[in-house]
């Protein structure tokens, strides 16, 4: 077989393969709406999961193909909503801005440790060892699982406990999901107080483990001027030895915080 014959055979095989590939691409082609890419480009790309989808691309696909609400991107805020709305030909407004709040003030100056933990340096691992090394069984473990999952660098460990950087927080909720103690809440942003404690023990026991732990004394409830519509409760309540504040009812008068004898109530972004 001379070289020309070889070249011809190879060329013919190449042409046949090309035809097969072209036919296959036509037969197996899956159409994707070009708006998916456009919508994805309007999102921040944090892939935090606050929208309820696996990531920004998955959320973009759900918007275009399934008609998902365009207001679910918490980190993107109104800017992302407007951009996505322009692509989709709709308009919407973002809800109330939200921020993360750590319901614990378990800094080294307020609480101590019951043992020296030497295991894997994660909150999830430490929590499995008798609830963690801290004196308070409900408090922040301080190993930074929340820090590691935050896509915006909005949380840090300060003096043994997690603290939110208010200006950076987008309220995506990634930190809340990562906390094994479930002490990080996502609440409406604003000048309203929150209970910065999660201890459910009786007051006497709480005082033994943390100087700023809620003791369930009810003083906050007594001074709260906001009464529910049915007059059966107030904006502040105490259940299971721990106070809580209804952020929708609260008017931010700060009477509960001023009355609290242990300093367990404060405006989160003031810390």
């Amino acid at each position: 077989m001379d070289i020309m014959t070889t070249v011809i055979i190879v060329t013919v095989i190449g042409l046949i393969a090309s035809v097969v590939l072209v036919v296959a691409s036509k037969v197996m082609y899956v159409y994707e709406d070009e708006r998916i890419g456009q919508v994805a480009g309007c999102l921040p790309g944090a892939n935090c999961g606050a929208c309820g989808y696996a990531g920004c691309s998955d959320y973009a696909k759900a918007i275009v193909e399934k008609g998902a609400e365009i207001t679910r991107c918490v980190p993107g805020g109104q800017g992302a909503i407007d951009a996505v709305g322009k692509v989709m030909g709709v308009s919407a407004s973002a809800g109330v801005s939200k921020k993360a709040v750590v319901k614990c003030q378990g800094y080294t100056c307020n609480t101590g440790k019951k043992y020296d933990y030497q295991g894997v340096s994660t909150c999830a691992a430490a929590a499995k060892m008798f609830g963690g090394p801290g004196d308070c069984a409900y408090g922040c473990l301080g190993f930074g699982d929340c820090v590691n999952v935050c896509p915006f660098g909005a949380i840090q460990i300060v003096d043994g406990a997690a603290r939110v950087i208010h200006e950076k927080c987008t309220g995506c909720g990634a930190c809340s999901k990562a906390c094994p103690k479930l002490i990080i809440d996502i609440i409406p942003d604003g000048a309203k107080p929150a209970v910065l404690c999660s201890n459910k023990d009786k007051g006497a026991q709480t005082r033994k483990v943390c100087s700023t732990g809620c003791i369930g004394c009810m003083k906050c409830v007594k001074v709260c001027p906001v009464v529910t519509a049915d007059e059966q409760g107030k904006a502040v309540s105490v259940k299971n030895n721990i106070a809580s504040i209804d952020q929708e009812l609260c008017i931010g008068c700060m009477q509960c915080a001023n009355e609290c004898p242990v300093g367990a109530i404060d405006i989160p972004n003031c810390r």
Side-chain angles (χ1 to χ4, degrees):
M1 182 182 297
D2 57 34
I3 189 168
M4 285 302 297
T5 303
T6 303
V7 171
I8 293 172
I9 292 174
V10 171
T11 302
V12 171
I13 293 174
L15 289 171
I16 294 172
S18 299
V19 171
V20 171
L21 290 173
V22 170
V23 172
S25 66
K26 296 294 184 181
V27 173
M28 302 178 66
Y29 175 73
V30 177
Y31 171 76
E32 180 174 281
D33 195 317
E34 63 179 13
R35 293 178 299 172
I36 295 176
Q38 294 173 358
V39 170
C42 298
L43 303 175
N47 295 315
C48 61
C51 59
Y53 294 91
C56 293
S57 295
D58 192 38
Y59 178 40
K61 189 173 183 179
I63 290 175
V64 175
E65 296 183 349
K66 300 179 181 179
E69 296 177 355
I70 68 172
T71 58
R72 292 189 178 186
C73 183
V74 177
Q78 190 62 50
I81 293 173
D82 290 342
V84 173
K86 187 175 181 180
V87 174
M88 299 301 297
V90 297
S91 61
S93 297
V96 177
S97 174
K98 295 186 177 182
K99 302 286 183 179
V101 55
V102 181
K103 299 185 298 179
C104 177
Q105 299 183 91
Y107 309 117
T108 55
C109 58
N110 297 331
T111 189
K113 293 184 177 182
K114 56 191 175 186
Y115 65 85
D116 185 21
Y117 177 72
Q118 298 292 333
V120 179
S121 296
T122 67
C123 298
K128 296 178 181 179
M129 296 294 292
F130 307 102
D135 283 342
C136 178
Y138 301 90
C140 177
L141 293 162
F143 290 101
D145 288 16
C146 52
V147 176
N148 295 332
V149 299
C150 179
F152 306 99
I155 193 164
Q156 59 186 346
I157 301 299
V158 178
D159 199 18
R163 179 179 291 185
V164 176
I165 303 173
H166 185 264
E167 296 76 15
K168 293 183 177 181
C169 180
T170 64
C172 72
C175 56
S176 179
K177 296 174 184 177
C179 179
K181 292 289 186 176
L182 305 177
I183 63 169
I184 303 179
D185 272 355
I186 308 300
I187 66 174
D189 185 23
K192 294 183 179 181
V195 179
L196 308 178
C197 178
S198 300
N199 195 308
K200 295 180 177 62
D201 290 332
K202 291 184 178 181
Q205 178 61 32
T206 300
R207 289 301 297 267
K208 291 180 181 179
V209 299
C210 183
S211 61
T212 58
C214 177
I215 55 177
C217 65
M218 299 288 291
K219 288 186 176 181
C220 52
V221 178
K222 293 175 182 177
V223 299
C224 179
V226 181
V227 181
T228 56
D230 59 6
E231 298 186 353
Q232 298 298 308
K234 293 189 174 184
V236 187
S237 60
V238 173
K239 185 178 181 181
N240 295 327
N241 305 311
I242 182 76
S244 64
I245 298 175
D246 187 321
Q247 293 293 315
E248 292 187 2
L249 292 175
C250 179
I251 59 175
C253 70
M254 295 299 291
Q255 290 193 45
C256 57
N258 296 333
E259 189 68 18
C260 181
V262 295
I265 302 176
D266 199 355
I267 297 176
N269 59 5
C270 287
R271 291 193 298 148

